[in-house]
Amino acid sequence: MSAQALHALHRRLRVRRALYVAAWTLPLLIAAGAVLLRFMPPPWAYIGIAILALISVALMVRSVQSVAMQDVVRVLDDASPQLEDSADLVLGDPGALTPLQRLQRERVLARLGGAASSTPMPAFPTRRFVFASALAVVVFVFTLIWPGMRDAADSDVGQAQREGPVVATQTRLVSTRIDIEAPAYTALPPRSESTLEVETAEGSILRWHVVLDPSPSEARLTLHDGTEIALGREGEGWSGTHVLRESTLYRIDVGDAPPLVEDRLYRLDAIADLPPDIRVIAPDRTLSLLEQEQPTWPLQFEVSDDYGVGVARLTVTLAQGSGEQIAISEQELILRGAAGGNPRQRGYRHALDLGALGFASGDDLIVRLGVSDTRTPTANTARSASYILRWPSKLSAEAEGVDGIVQKVLPAYFRSQRQIIIDSEALIAERPTLAADEFVKRSDAIGVDQKILRLRYGQFLGEEFESGGGPGPTASEKDEDHEHEEAEAADAALPEGHSPDDGHDHTPAGFGNASEIVAEYGHTHDYAEAATLLDPETRRILKAALAEMWQAELQLRLGKPADALPYEHRALEFIKQVQQSTRIYLARVGLELPQVDEKRRLTGDRGNARSRTIALAAATSESAALVAFHDALASGGAPSTAGFEAWLREHETGLEDGLGVVAALDAWRRDADCAPCRDRLLDVLWPLLPAPATGVAQRARPGDVADVYFDSLREQEQP
Amino acid sequence: MNAPLLIGAALLAIALIASWRTWRLRRSGRIWRIAAQFVLAALLYLVFHPPQRPLADQMLVVLTPGITVTQRDMLDPSIRTVSLPGVVPAASAESVPDLATALRRYPAIRRIHVVGAGLPARDRDVARSRVVSMDFSTAPAGISELHAPAELKAGSTWRVHGRVDGITEGNVELLDRAGRIVSRSALDAAGRFNVDAAVRTAGISRFVIRALAADEQVVEEMPVEVVVHAGDALRVLLIAGAVDAELKYLRRWAVDAGVELGVRMAISRGIALRDGVARIDAESLGKSDLLIADERSWAAMSAIEKDAVQEAAQQGLGVLLRVTGPIPTSVRKEWEALGFQVEAAEIGRAVMLPTLAAGPDETVELARRPVAVAADDAAPLLVAGDGTALASWRAHGRGRIGVWWLEESYRLVLAGNAARFGMLWSEALRTLARANAPSPPSLRERAWIDQRAVVCGVGEEAMIESPDRVRTALRNDPLTPGCAAFWPTQAGWHRIVEGESHTNIRVHDPLQAPALAHADTVQSTRRVALGAREPPLAVATAAAPRWPFFLAWLLVAATVWWSERRTVAETDAPESS
């Protein structure tokens, strides 16, 4: 037997000690690891676990190292009396020993084998192990039931896997992405948002990519208005598409699966494409007067739009002539913006060549710019105000100062008498070349014209339209009792060389329409004296003109245009007189009180007038439901939302941010204990509250001292 | 008997006994020795009770929180300096837990120089009448002064004014709780601003006030909150000689605002339109808070009714006399007896009200009666934009009487500014109506966290409820009855609970409003310093050191002992020799 037994014992002791340390550190290590994984982000948790494991290994190494050979000897000596406390002699160098020691060494060596095998190992640290295990179990259970952290760890896949075995009571949004593709015309680049709330141009295509855990059997998005967007499976997750036409709210609906962790309304804001904004730089006023020697009219516009400016059309209207002879011509020019630059902002310059337009004295030139943007399918269009360039004529200066009450007599109605004279003269000149029938027929046609003209003037005097009687016998059956047909007939019977748009009026459309209505719904039974449109003098002249027309018509219908001419000329004369007093004075209508009953006046008889009670009740606000809900909410209660919801449904469209209110209400209703949700709801309700009538404060009671003071003041006042 | 006298008597007795014994020994020089007994006794007495001597006037520099580096660098090391908690201790300064401790340590201090933001509330009482000079650190940029009413009535417009320090030009915005800018005001040369906003229903209305620099950078943002109550239900009698549009709108506003209105509008002799009870007699007037009458209804009142009105006004009723037309001579004389001389005057009728910072532009032209109202002791009740009065009032016994010659204020309503109309009349009614409301508890000064907050107007049993609903009893101040204090530890709305009634008061957090906290501290320290101009304290004295007396006593005693010993030796030597 040698020292080998001793070394074996040493090794056994060391292993045993290492195992003991491992036995009590391992539960602690597991518990600490569970805590770290539960409450720390994974990399840190793993680092922590590694550090703890190292510490544990270090403890084992230290405990192993702490078992020295002397310890083995001591243990042996303690355990085996037959070694006679001399086990250390085995370790020593036999050569260095005294003979007695050598002898003893031999004896010990002989007994060592049996002693070593029978040496008891150190006791298992039961108390330490039990304590550590109990602590580990407690900590482990604690980490499992601890409620926090779970909600915040939304994108942590690793954690989700660890929690896998636990039955999911809520569905988590593992990842969310919305790809946004704005309409092509906006030229906005496609982008992705990782949130569920987006704000983007209207008409954008939104594509959701949502990964849910646990994955439900079906999923869809439910819009605020009830529309549903089905989500289709896409790999691990779900995807769906929606074209955003207007702002809305939506919720992710997972069907039968456990509810979402954060089941709330998400908001989609559509940014509307606004029509272009036109800024007119020149001219700087709406009405400019032509300056001397001005060959062109410079115009300058600046247009801006949120995405791009489209076509710019300049409408140029030239109103020429005055009085009876106003001709209007309109043309449209397409302006080209300054080349290059920002498509969202364009400048336009254009100089209108007045000479080329035929602009003359007394004319008005009116321009207006219309700009559309690039929006599809329908472009937004904006129009500028109208800008007028006027070449002042001498006549127009007269009306200064009395514009408000004076109106020019409608010149269009007074136009055609001259034409009838021209037609008549032409007919007389043609007479030799025409057949008698033809001549009479054309003369009669002029007569019909004359009749229509007379009837028009007659209307000004309040005459019945039909006062002229039926058309002559030669008139065809087209000329029935109905004026619109007559008007058509007149139109159709225009003499050669006349077209409906030859510069003078044959059938003023507005007039015809008015008479149609009269014809359809009844007759006008005005009497001439009540026609307040004209002053008595004008009316007298007009009446004379009508009489002349009547005679002219008579002659024309009889086929005697030559006889009709003097009447026609006189009628024109009168009409010119009317034209020269080209003003109609409209009477101002004032307050008309009922007549004072003179019989009862100053008699002291008050009839049945009695004192009365006129009770006034406080106004009831239509927002009462809102106010009640707000007040209850503000005072910390949990009011019923029924009344408020009814109110909201009724008013939602009129609110500035109706969707915001709906979303805030929904968030609060889902979790009534959530203080930020309540605050948010109160925030959005505040602007909606109606302003109540200002309340009155009563002054505080001043107290007895003040009463005595005021009473003594009064006694001084009244000695 | 007090200790000095006892000691003195004992010493005297010992000296007398010793003197007597010395006298009996009949030795030479005994007179000197007897004298020495008394000298020794006197010296011993002085050891026990050294004489008081006046102290030299000393200055103490107190470093307070908020001290700046420059201020610290400028300290004079030769002057005794202490630093209060919250100050990084300077090398030359001694740290003390509070000022009282410093003053106990150095009783000679009679003048204090404060350096830093000012004394905290704890140290103010002890520093009273000692602070003579102050070197305040510059205030942090922000709102350093803020005046806002603590309580309002629903629907009224409230005004916040104050001052911003640290920026020369900029703006102040008032935002409502939805984050919308309600009012905006540019800072004037002194940094003052003035913003206003309308509050809505009863409850706590939250606003945020924001100071912006010239480049629109937010300098400071802090919440401003106000408690809004429903209007008081005043009982008002409205009698008029005729109906007019003004009455229509006045009635509408009053009824909506919760005023209990009794109306009698005459439309002919003996015929009137009524709403509620509008009797003019002692009983009815005694129950009412305000009577609104015009010159026509006044003329139609009987002498008994007029006497009843006068008597009721003496007892506290408010009376508002509207001038709506030419005043009959009899009425003029009677109103003169009430203190108002109303004469027709040649003045323009058109008048405008002063503009408010917020709200629509006040371009509404109103009309006034062309009258001149003279009253010696009247105060203006309503002032036009040009500064002329449109109504005035004077005290009449316990009540108040006002004359109102603004006509057609209802045009404000027609112009869409019903709120202004309501403010106009609410203000008039508040001023004139009977003062009968209980006065709620109120804070003496702005309350800050960790500073004693004093509320007045509370009873013995009042409790304070913190924002987390913990109730604590208020400590009553025995010296000022009705006032009590508490020590807030949380910012936010606290409630003073007294039986069934609650009053909300707000505690501020100095971290949320550093400039305001600084300004408040400076202001309070200044107020403490005001006391220094009072007559100085009695000259401070301190006990002279004891050791010179003890040394003198020892010297004298040793001399006497030595001379005694020599005498004994001399006496013995001849005897032995």
Side-chain angles (χ1 to χ4, degrees):
Chain A
M1 216 39 217
S2 70
Q4 278 166 359
L6 210 59
H7 285 290
L9 183 64
H10 185 203
R11 236 179 354 261
R12 263 167 56 209
L13 263 177
R14 283 186 156 193
V15 168
R16 194 57 74 94
R17 289 295 283 272
L19 283 176
Y20 289 174
V21 170
W24 67 263
T25 51
L26 204 63
L28 289 184
L29 192 65
I30 291 169
V35 169
L36 284 172
L37 283 172
R38 181 73 178 78
F39 295 113
M40 282 177 84
W44 294 110
Y46 293 134
I47 290 171
I49 290 169
I51 290 172
L52 288 174
L54 279 178
I55 290 172
S56 159
V57 168
L59 278 174
M60 283 162 73
V61 168
R62 220 195 65 186
S63 72
V64 165
Q65 281 174 347
S66 70
V67 183
M69 216 52 181
Q70 277 74 21
D71 296 328
V72 180
V73 169
R74 206 185 61 243
V75 168
L76 268 178
D77 285 345
D78 288 351
S80 313
Q82 70 266 36
L83 294 182
E84 293 170 351
D85 279 352
S86 306
D88 56 337
L89 293 176
V90 179
L91 295 175
D93 178 14
L97 296 176
T98 58
L100 191 63
Q101 285 177 324
R102 220 171 293 149
L103 188 67
Q104 182 68 7
R105 186 169 180 266
E106 292 304 315
R107 286 179 60 192
V108 167
L109 271 178
R111 295 174 200 165
L112 194 59
S117 58
S118 66
T119 305
M121 286 290 119
F124 183 77
T126 317
R127 279 178 59 187
R128 207 177 263 198
F129 175 74
V130 167
F131 179 73
S133 305
L135 188 69
V137 168
V138 167
V139 168
F140 201 79
V141 169
F142 169 75
T143 53
L144 284 184
I145 61 173
W146 184 255
M149 298 293 288
R150 195 169 297 215
D151 301 340
D154 47 1
S155 63
D156 181 4
V157 182
Q159 184 162 330
Q161 282 165 352
R162 276 195 307 282
E163 285 182 356
V166 182
V167 175
T169 53
Q170 286 184 314
T171 303
R172 289 183 322 113
L173 278 167
V174 177
S175 78
T176 57
R177 194 179 86 233
I178 302 181
D179 293 338
I180 302 160
E181 194 184 312
Y185 75 90
T186 59
L188 293 174
R191 61 190 170 110
S192 287
E193 293 275 349
S194 58
T195 59
L196 285 171
E197 300 201 327
V198 294
E199 192 177 352
T200 182
E202 69 173 333
S204 296
I205 300 166
L206 306 178
R207 193 165 289 116
W208 280 264
H209 302 278
V210 184
V211 178
L212 297 164
D213 176 62
S215 196
S217 55
E218 56 168 345
R220 59 184 168 266
L221 307 178
T222 312
L223 295 192
H224 167 51
D225 58 5
T227 323
E228 289 187 348
I229 303 166
L231 293 183
R233 274 201 185 278
E234 178 204 53
E236 275 189 9
W238 299 82
S239 78
T241 308
H242 176 60
V243 180
L244 187 64
R245 294 272 167 233
E246 56 181 5
S247 298
T248 184
L249 299 165
Y250 73 98
R251 180 193 305 288
I252 300 177
D253 194 348
V254 289
D256 302 334
L260 283 171
V261 171
E262 197 185 5
D263 188 10
R264 65 180 185 96
L265 285 175
Y266 298 95
R267 190 167 178 164
L268 300 174
D269 275 307
I271 305 168
D273 184 357
L274 300 175
D277 182 32
I278 303 177
R279 209 156 65 83
V280 181
I281 296 166
D284 55 358
R285 65 198 74 177
T286 44
L287 175 64
S288 25
L289 298 180
L290 189 80
E291 285 168 23
Q292 296 273 313
E293 307 294 320
Q294 185 181 353
T296 59
W297 190 21
L299 306 171
Q300 193 183 350
F301 305 94
E302 250 182 37
V303 183
S304 59
D305 185 57
D306 27 16
Y307 297 114
V309 180
V311 188
R313 287 189 176 81
L314 185 70
T315 313
V316 183
T317 311
L318 181 63
Q320 284 183 306
S322 66
E324 245 188 69
Q325 305 283 335
I326 285 190
I328 290 170
S329 61
E330 197 173 285
Q331 51 175 309
E332 205 165 76
L333 305 172
I334 293 190
L335 296 189
R336 283 188 197 290
N342 189 348
R344 299 180 177 189
Q345 200 150 19
R346 284 246 171 88
Y348 295 97
R349 277 169 186 281
H350 189 77
L352 278 177
D353 186 350
L354 300 180
L357 285 167
F359 193 52
S361 171
D363 294 358
D364 279 359
L365 186 61
I366 304 149
V367 295
R368 188 168 67 182
L369 185 70
V371 183
S372 56
D373 64 7
T374 52
R375 183 174 183 266
T376 49
T378 49
N380 291 315
T381 313
R383 271 192 230 155
S384 72
S386 292
Y387 290 82
I388 305 170
L389 177 67
R390 178 165 293 169
W391 188 328
S393 67
K394 281 155 201 143
L395 276 172
S396 67
E398 290 170 9
E400 293 290 324
V402 282
D403 285 342
I405 51 170
V406 176
Q407 286 187 342
K408 297 226 163 172
V409 171
L410 302 167
Y413 297 133
F414 296 97
R415 257 189 212 170
S416 296
Q417 189 60 39
R418 192 191 302 270
Q419 196 59 48
I420 286 167
I421 293 169
I422 294 167
D423 289 350
S424 304
E425 280 171 350
L427 187 63
I428 295 163
E430 277 181 84
R431 186 172 186 175
T433 62
L434 286 173
D437 274 6
E438 179 66 17
F439 179 77
V440 171
K441 200 176 167 188
R442 280 177 59 176
S443 176
D444 186 59
I446 298 171
V448 172
D449 264 359
Q450 182 68 76
K451 180 195 171 189
I452 292 168
L453 192 65
R454 179 177 55 77
L455 292 179
R456 274 180 218 149
Y457 284 111
Q459 282 246 314
F460 276 102
L461 292 174
E463 281 184 1
E464 247 184 273
F465 199 78
E466 269 285 292
S467 66
T474 49
S476 66
E477 66 275 11
K478 278 184 292 183
D479 297 334
E480 288 295 337
D481 289 346
H482 298 291
E483 288 70 33
H484 63 280
E485 286 175 14
E486 272 184 4
E488 278 166 18
D491 222 345
L494 278 178
E496 278 168 16
H498 289 269
S499 65
D501 55 348
D502 59 359
H504 61 89
D505 245 349
H506 297 280
T507 51
F511 187 80
N513 290 344
S515 61
E516 261 178 38
I517 293 165
V518 171
E520 201 171 332
Y521 293 106
H523 296 272
T524 54
H525 288 281
D526 284 355
Y527 47 100
E529 277 68 27
T532 52
L533 206 57
L534 302 171
D535 62 306
E537 178 60 19
T538 313
R539 198 177 321 137
R540 190 187 61 74
I541 298 168
L542 258 182
K543 267 189 167 172
L546 286 188
E548 297 302 330
M549 285 182 194
W550 174 247
Q551 288 302 321
E553 187 195 339
L554 175 72
Q555 299 302 330
L556 284 168
R557 292 232 169 173
L558 289 172
K560 298 174 187 167
D563 293 348
L565 262 180
Y567 297 111
E568 289 173 3
H569 277 290
R570 262 201 298 280
L572 181 63
E573 193 106 331
F574 285 128
I575 289 167
K576 280 202 157 174
Q577 280 180 29
V578 172
Q579 216 173 329
Q580 261 139 35
S581 65
T582 52
R583 278 156 204 185
I584 298 173
Y585 293 86
L586 298 176
R588 288 193 180 208
V589 179
L591 175 69
E592 286 184 26
L593 292 172
Q595 289 270 315
V596 175
D597 183 1
E598 297 288 349
K599 289 199 293 291
R600 241 185 64 199
R601 212 168 171 205
L602 296 174
T603 58
D605 171 24
R606 293 185 293 190
N608 49 6
R610 297 271 181 279
S611 286
R612 269 198 305 137
T613 299
I614 43 161
L616 197 62
T620 50
S621 164
E622 59 159 3
S623 306
L626 164 71
V627 174
F629 180 71
H630 172 270
D631 289 354
L633 199 63
S635 59
S640 147
T641 56
F644 172 63
E645 272 180 287
W647 180 89
L648 190 60
R649 266 196 299 282
E650 203 174 314
H651 295 84
E652 190 189 327
T653 46
L655 301 181
E656 200 177 307
D657 185 21
L659 289 181
V661 179
V662 173
L665 175 67
D666 181 78
W668 173 76
R669 205 168 30 190
R670 285 184 173 262
D671 185 5
D673 295 332
C674 156
C677 308
R678 178 186 292 261
D679 274 0
R680 174 84 200 110
L681 182 55
L682 286 171
D683 285 351
V684 298
L685 290 184
W686 168 262
L688 312 180
L689 291 176
T694 313
V696 189
Q698 191 168 23
R699 284 179 295 134
R701 201 176 303 119
D704 300 340
V705 179
D707 284 349
V708 171
Y709 171 74
F710 283 123
D711 289 347
S712 61
L713 269 189
R714 171 192 175 189
E715 279 156 20
Q716 279 179 10
E717 267 179 20
Q718 302 167 334
Chain B
M1 250 181 132
N2 54 7
L5 206 60
L6 206 65
I7 292 173
L11 286 173
L12 191 66
I14 293 168
L16 281 173
I17 292 167
S19 303
W20 183 66
R21 291 194 53 151
T22 311
W23 181 257
R24 287 232 348 232
L25 281 174
R26 296 172 185 271
R27 290 202 183 136
S28 64
R30 60 182 175 181
I31 299 297
W32 293 114
R33 281 199 288 274
I34 288 168
Q37 294 298 332
F38 287 97
V39 170
L40 282 170
L43 284 172
L44 199 56
Y45 177 81
L46 286 175
V47 169
F48 286 119
H49 287 283
Q52 298 288 314
R53 56 162 194 189
L55 290 169
D57 204 7
Q58 277 192 39
M59 160 88 85
L60 180 71
V61 175
V62 179
L63 308 187
T64 55
I67 184 171
T68 59
V69 178
T70 11
Q71 283 178 320
R72 189 187 293 272
D73 292 345
M74 284 170 64
L75 289 177
D76 182 356
S78 64
I79 303 176
R80 194 181 297 284
T81 307
V82 294
S83 63
L84 294 179
V87 180
V88 180
S92 59
E94 181 189 347
S95 292
V96 288
D98 55 26
L99 188 59
T101 309
L103 292 177
R104 261 196 307 281
R105 271 185 211 165
Y106 308 109
I109 301 301
R110 289 188 43 226
R111 289 177 299 141
I112 292 176
H113 176 68
V114 175
V115 181
L119 293 168
R122 167 197 70 215
D123 293 327
R124 281 176 207 145
D125 282 341
V126 69
R128 210 167 290 281
S129 83
R130 280 201 170 97
V131 174
V132 288
S133 55
M134 290 147 289
D135 176 14
F136 290 122
S137 52
T138 45
I143 297 161
S144 61
E145 217 180 284
L146 190 69
H147 305 282
E151 290 189 330
L152 283 175
K153 295 298 175 189
S156 47
T157 303
W158 70 310
R159 176 170 292 196
V160 184
H161 63 106
R163 194 162 53 84
V164 177
D165 263 351
I167 49 175
T168 46
E169 52 187 281
N171 291 289
V172 166
E173 287 173 348
L174 190 67
L175 289 86
D176 68 8
R177 65 174 301 160
R180 302 177 312 167
I181 297 169
V182 190
S183 174
R184 187 180 160 100
S185 149
L187 297 178
D188 69 4
R192 303 205 69 87
F193 63 86
N194 198 338
V195 285
D196 43 37
V199 293
R200 301 187 180 182
T201 51
I204 290 172
S205 288
R206 288 196 205 166
F207 289 86
V208 169
I209 195 160
R210 188 154 80 177
L212 303 160
D215 57 355
E216 297 292 303
Q217 287 290 314
V218 176
V219 178
E220 190 176 21
E221 197 174 78
M222 67 162 104
V224 207
E225 297 176 3
V226 62
V227 186
V228 180
H229 297 292
D232 291 326
L234 288 184
R235 290 152 303 178
V236 175
L237 294 181
L238 174 61
I239 57 169
V243 287
D244 63 9
E246 184 85 344
L247 290 175
K248 167 183 164 156
Y249 286 94
L250 182 56
R251 284 180 66 210
R252 169 46 60 205
W253 165 76
V255 169
D256 287 350
V259 171
E260 286 174 29
L261 210 54
V263 182
R264 194 181 73 198
M265 295 183 293
I267 48 177
S268 179
R269 183 169 35 80
I271 298 179
L273 300 176
R274 295 171 198 281
D275 184 8
V277 181
R279 279 197 318 277
I280 307 293
D281 55 33
E283 189 202 344
S284 164
L285 291 171
K287 276 195 235 161
S288 302
D289 297 316
L290 181 70
L291 169 72
I292 302 178
D294 58 11
E295 80 287 333
R296 288 177 71 173
S297 55
W298 185 272
M301 274 201 269
S302 67
I304 300 165
E305 285 177 329
K306 286 173 191 166
D307 284 349
V309 169
Q310 281 232 35
E311 186 49 38
Q314 297 279 13
Q315 294 304 322
L317 175 78
V319 179
L320 179 61
L321 303 168
R322 293 168 61 232
V323 185
T324 59
I327 299 180
T329 321
S330 63
V331 174
R332 184 177 296 136
K333 277 186 187 146
E334 281 158 359
W335 285 10
E336 215 171 301
L338 293 175
F340 292 98
Q341 293 181 345
V342 185
E343 303 286 344
E346 292 292 320
I347 52 171
R349 293 191 60 181
V351 71
M352 306 243 270
L353 292 179
T355 51
L356 290 178
D361 281 342
E362 306 289 347
T363 48
V364 186
E365 199 179 84
L366 309 180
R368 64 178 167 201
R369 280 314 297 178
V371 291
V373 176
D376 297 337
D377 51 355
L381 178 61
L382 177 66
V383 176
D386 58 4
T388 54
L390 297 174
S392 60
W393 67 271
R394 60 182 294 276
H396 185 80
R398 295 183 190 181
R400 291 174 173 186
I401 297 182
V403 174
W404 180 279
W405 59 99
L406 172 68
E407 284 186 313
E408 304 186 4
S409 63
Y410 69 89
R411 283 192 203 168
L412 288 168
V413 184
L414 297 186
N417 201 351
R420 189 73 200 271
F421 177 84
M423 280 300 284
L424 201 71
W425 282 99
S426 141
E427 196 58 31
L429 261 61
R430 188 189 68 81
T431 311
L432 292 178
R434 187 190 300 275
N436 203 19
S439 43
S442 62
L443 278 172
R444 271 265 191 84
E445 288 168 343
R446 220 190 306 274
W448 295 96
I449 299 181
D450 290 337
Q451 283 195 11
R452 188 165 161 269
V454 181
V455 275
C456 284
V458 290
E460 296 277 317
E461 301 298 315
M463 308 274 279
I464 186 86
E465 188 180 283
S466 66
D468 53 10
R469 300 270 177 264
V470 177
R471 286 191 184 187
T472 328
L474 283 168
R475 281 296 187 86
N476 287 296
D477 183 352
L479 292 179
T480 41
C483 287
F486 71 105
W487 192 274
T489 53
Q490 278 178 300
W493 286 100
H494 288 60
R495 292 206 301 177
I496 299 173
V497 184
E498 247 183 312
E500 288 300 301
S501 69
H502 307 284
T503 312
N504 287 296
I505 55 167
R506 184 145 173 264
V507 173
H508 298 256
D509 183 355
L511 296 178
Q512 269 189 344
L516 197 59
H518 180 275
D520 269 12
T521 316
V522 166
Q523 200 60 38
S524 306
T525 311
R526 285 225 173 90
R527 219 172 293 145
V528 166
L530 283 180
R533 295 202 194 111
E534 289 164 7
L537 294 176
V539 176
T541 55
R546 294 156 203 253
W547 62 268
F549 299 105
F550 179 73
L551 214 61
W553 175 84
L554 197 66
L555 208 66
V556 175
T559 315
V560 171
W561 171 79
W562 182 75
S563 70
E564 286 262 290
R565 195 167 165 275
R566 207 189 53 183
T567 318
V568 171
E570 280 171 4
T571 320
D572 290 352
E575 277 175 7
S576 62
S577 60

